[in-house]
Amino acid sequence: MSKQPIGIFDSRVGGTSIFKEIHALLPNENTIYLADSANAPYGTKGEQKIVELSIKNTELLLNKGCKLIVVACNTATTNAISILRAKYNVPIIGIEPAIKPAALQTQTKAIGILATKGTLSSALFHKTSDLYANSITIIEQIGEGIVQLIESGKTRSPEMTGLLESYLKPMLKANIDYLVLGCTHYPYLIPGLLELLPNHVKIIDSGLAVAGQTKVVLETSNLLNTESKIPKNEFYINVKNTEVMQSLLGDQFNVESLKF
Amino acid sequence: MSKQPIGIFDSRVGGTSIFKEIHALLPNENTIYLADSANAPYGTKGEQKIVELSIKNTELLLNKGCKLIVVACNTATTNAISILRAKYNVPIIGIEPAIKPAALQTQTKAIGILATKGTLSSALFHKTSDLYANSITIIEQIGEGIVQLIESGKTRSPEMTGLLESYLKPMLKANIDYLVLGCTHYPYLIPGLLELLPNHVKIIDSGLAVAGQTKVVLETSNLLNTESKIPKNEFYINVKNTEVMQSLLGDQFNVESLKF
């Protein structure tokens, strides 16, 4: 069982940032990644549809023998994770914006969060922020257009810089010292953000936490892959164009187009 | 299954500090705690004997229906956790000194660790400290006599103060800013330690991390108890005297003597 792969899915290719953190922390693990781009975005769909798509992705991964599922998508986590956990026996790990560590560590008592509309309005997000951030100012900003630019290969571009500058402006005015990235695409913005942010503002995303949770769960359940041979890391996307995903992942991994 | 208890065992009563963290973070959970005081200390025994005792405790907890086991004992974790994880199907969580967070956060590049002889000399401890603390000075101090004083009800006493002063002296001379508590008894020393330590020295123990890991594992495996009725928290010790354990836990919990 421990040699079986970790399954990861996202509505698009952004969750590859989560894959990278998992692969860095657990280099022995076999993985299978599904980008459900044919059905993206999930954020504009109703809860029932998101649950349906999440079940479809999970069952495909379970049919491929996955020992653990990572829902590398904030929207799918919020809407479907309880149902997935109740329905399947394998451990299921989700993702949510890292408000808690930011709220615990801020010195200026102001933090910024950049996320999609669906994530900012979701119940899970508001529950988390209520719990930990009562005395802290949270500047919420919808990252309108960012995902589209990344998906068209314009992660580093004048358009992106302009967009980010306008989104950061109210945050910097409020003197934030933590910027929370609430979408799996956004870690790809970090090099650009570092150029725009003053030195004292720290960027925090959920990738490392998700990887850490994956490790703890595998370890405590005796599911860590201790085999020393080179792992198999598979990537599937259900649209024809594999180029953007391939460029985000780099040449050492191979992306395939697959109907699902 | 989610209504089944969390099982916790330690070679003595110190692991009640871990129980308290778990209970604080997961107040809905039923728990069963075993203090194997009749066989304490584990630290002076050979590996095979420690594995045997850990198996005995784990099987008693599994026979009582536990859904997850917390090995709330540094010595039992180091010596037996891999074997327990390979042998049983439930998730098994262990404890080790919190060197890593201390090493990552120290500003003075010097941290202190107070632990039993067995923990300080164990392979796991040295592996962890090698990994994270290469450029950091670690002042190790065996807490000779501390457990005995706690077990005789002398947690706050002139003898304890004298002992702690002598153990802290070389650490303070080395300008530590983190003191790692590497034994489950030691969180009971915190009120006394706070009086002896300068304000800038932070105390760090593993209780919160263990509770956090327990939560993550229960959550991801759909094993969280969501029932709202008051949980059952049981405590068993295999010596006749229940007094010290009772006084550490306080009146809201009931300690029973049980042969095992």
Side-chain angles (χ1 to χ4, degrees):
Chain A
M1 188 67 181
S2 63
K3 287 166 198 157
Q4 296 303 107
I6 294 170
I8 307 167
F9 76 84
D10 188 7
S11 60
R12 298 207 208 220
V13 305
T16 50
S17 68
I18 308 295
F19 156 77
K20 286 182 182 177
E21 296 279 6
I22 292 172
H23 186 60
L25 192 66
L26 299 163
N28 282 344
E29 295 296 328
N30 298 305
T31 61
I32 302 175
Y33 183 99
L34 300 183
D36 191 13
S37 294
N39 295 299
Y42 282 9
T44 56
K45 296 186 165 60
E47 187 176 336
Q48 207 190 322
K49 185 67 188 169
I50 298 170
V51 168
E52 237 171 65
L53 293 168
S54 300
I55 287 177
K56 176 205 67 169
N57 297 331
T58 303
E59 296 205 336
L60 200 159
L61 291 168
L62 293 177
N63 288 338
K64 286 178 175 285
C66 290
K67 60 185 176 185
L68 176 147
I69 304 291
V70 177
V71 183
C73 169
N74 287 276
T75 307
T77 297
T78 308
N79 287 279
I81 200 152
S82 323
I83 291 163
L84 296 178
R85 284 177 177 159
K87 201 170 161 72
Y88 305 106
N89 271 331
V90 301
I92 297 181
I93 290 174
I95 186 167
E96 57 183 54
I99 304 287
K100 183 182 166 180
L104 290 174
Q105 292 172 75
T106 175
Q107 302 287 320
T108 62
K109 301 285 167 202
I111 64 179
I113 168 155
L114 191 64
T116 60
K117 196 177 166 187
T119 299
L120 285 175
S121 63
S122 76
L124 191 62
F125 171 68
H126 282 291
K127 199 182 128 203
T128 315
S129 36
D130 282 352
L131 273 173
Y132 302 109
N134 271 331
S135 59
I136 286 158
T137 307
I138 302 186
I139 315 291
E140 303 184 7
Q141 179 65 56
I142 299 174
E144 194 71 48
I146 292 178
V147 166
Q148 289 72 7
L149 282 179
I150 293 176
E151 299 260 341
S152 26
K154 294 187 177 169
T155 305
R156 301 299 302 267
S157 64
E159 296 100 300
M160 185 69 91
T161 305
L163 215 52
L164 293 178
E165 272 175 338
S166 72
Y167 293 160
L168 293 177
K169 208 171 169 185
M171 297 188 184
L172 296 176
K173 211 177 147 193
N175 193 25
I176 64 157
D177 59 354
Y178 278 87
L179 170 61
V180 177
L181 302 183
C183 171
T184 55
H185 282 78
Y186 295 178
Y188 290 111
L189 303 175
I190 292 177
L193 285 169
L194 287 174
E195 288 171 13
L196 296 173
L197 287 168
N199 279 336
H200 73 279
V201 179
K202 294 175 194 73
I203 300 171
I204 188 161
D205 71 81
S206 315
L208 196 60
V210 168
Q213 290 191 2
T214 304
K215 190 177 173 204
V216 163
V217 171
L218 291 180
E219 213 162 48
T220 55
S221 304
N222 205 39
L223 288 174
L224 272 183
N225 191 356
T226 50
E227 238 186 4
S228 61
K229 73 169 194 175
I230 294 166
K232 209 169 145 191
N233 301 112
E234 301 168 57
F235 300 87
Y236 301 105
I237 183 165
N238 53 6
V239 292
K240 279 191 184 144
N241 178 11
T242 60
E243 238 173 68
V244 172
M245 188 165 170
Q246 188 67 67
S247 75
L248 291 176
L249 280 165
D251 284 345
Q252 74 265 47
F253 302 110
N254 180 46
V255 179
E256 281 176 56
S257 181
L258 175 79
K259 217 170 167 178
F260 62 87
Chain B
M1 188 66 181
S2 63
K3 287 167 197 158
Q4 296 304 105
I6 294 169
I8 307 167
F9 77 84
D10 187 7
S11 59
R12 299 207 208 222
V13 304
T16 51
S17 69
I18 308 295
F19 156 76
K20 286 182 182 178
E21 297 279 6
I22 292 172
H23 185 61
L25 192 65
L26 299 163
N28 281 345
E29 295 297 328
N30 299 305
T31 61
I32 303 177
Y33 183 100
L34 300 183
D36 191 13
S37 294
N39 295 300
Y42 282 9
T44 56
K45 295 185 167 58
E47 187 175 337
Q48 206 189 324
K49 184 68 187 170
I50 299 170
V51 168
E52 236 171 67
L53 292 169
S54 299
I55 287 176
K56 175 204 67 168
N57 297 331
T58 303
E59 297 206 336
L60 200 159
L61 291 167
L62 292 178
N63 288 338
K64 286 177 176 286
C66 289
K67 62 185 175 184
L68 176 150
I69 304 292
V70 177
V71 183
C73 170
N74 287 277
T75 308
T77 298
T78 307
N79 288 280
I81 199 152
S82 322
I83 292 164
L84 296 179
R85 283 177 176 160
K87 201 172 161 70
Y88 304 106
N89 272 331
V90 300
I92 298 182
I93 290 172
I95 185 168
E96 57 183 53
I99 305 286
K100 184 183 166 179
L104 290 174
Q105 292 172 72
T106 176
Q107 302 287 320
T108 63
K109 301 287 166 199
I111 64 178
I113 168 156
L114 192 62
T116 61
K117 196 176 166 187
T119 298
L120 285 177
S121 63
S122 76
L124 190 62
F125 171 67
H126 282 289
K127 197 181 130 204
T128 314
S129 37
D130 282 351
L131 274 173
Y132 302 109
N134 271 331
S135 60
I136 285 158
T137 307
I138 302 187
I139 314 292
E140 303 185 7
Q141 178 65 56
I142 298 174
E144 192 73 50
I146 292 177
V147 167
Q148 289 72 9
L149 284 178
I150 294 175
E151 298 261 341
S152 28
K154 293 187 175 168
T155 306
R156 300 300 304 265
S157 64
E159 295 100 302
M160 185 68 92
T161 305
L163 214 53
L164 293 179
E165 271 174 340
S166 71
Y167 293 159
L168 294 178
K169 208 171 170 185
M171 298 188 185
L172 295 176
K173 209 175 149 193
N175 194 23
I176 65 157
D177 60 353
Y178 277 88
L179 171 61
V180 176
L181 303 182
C183 170
T184 55
H185 282 78
Y186 296 178
Y188 290 112
L189 303 175
I190 291 175
L193 286 168
L194 287 174
E195 288 172 12
L196 296 173
L197 288 169
N199 280 336
H200 72 279
V201 179
K202 293 177 195 71
I203 300 171
I204 188 161
D205 70 82
S206 315
L208 196 59
V210 168
Q213 291 192 1
T214 304
K215 190 178 172 203
V216 163
V217 171
L218 291 179
E219 215 162 49
T220 55
S221 304
N222 205 40
L223 288 174
L224 273 183
N225 192 354
T226 50
E227 239 187 3
S228 60
K229 73 169 195 176
I230 294 166
K232 208 168 147 191
N233 301 110
E234 301 169 58
F235 299 88
Y236 301 106
I237 185 166
N238 54 6
V239 293
K240 279 193 185 141
N241 179 9
T242 60
E243 237 173 68
V244 171
M245 188 166 171
Q246 189 66 68
S247 76
L248 291 176
L249 281 164
D251 284 343
Q252 74 267 44
F253 301 111
N254 180 45
V255 179
E256 281 175 57
S257 180
L258 176 79
K259 218 171 167 175
F260 63 86

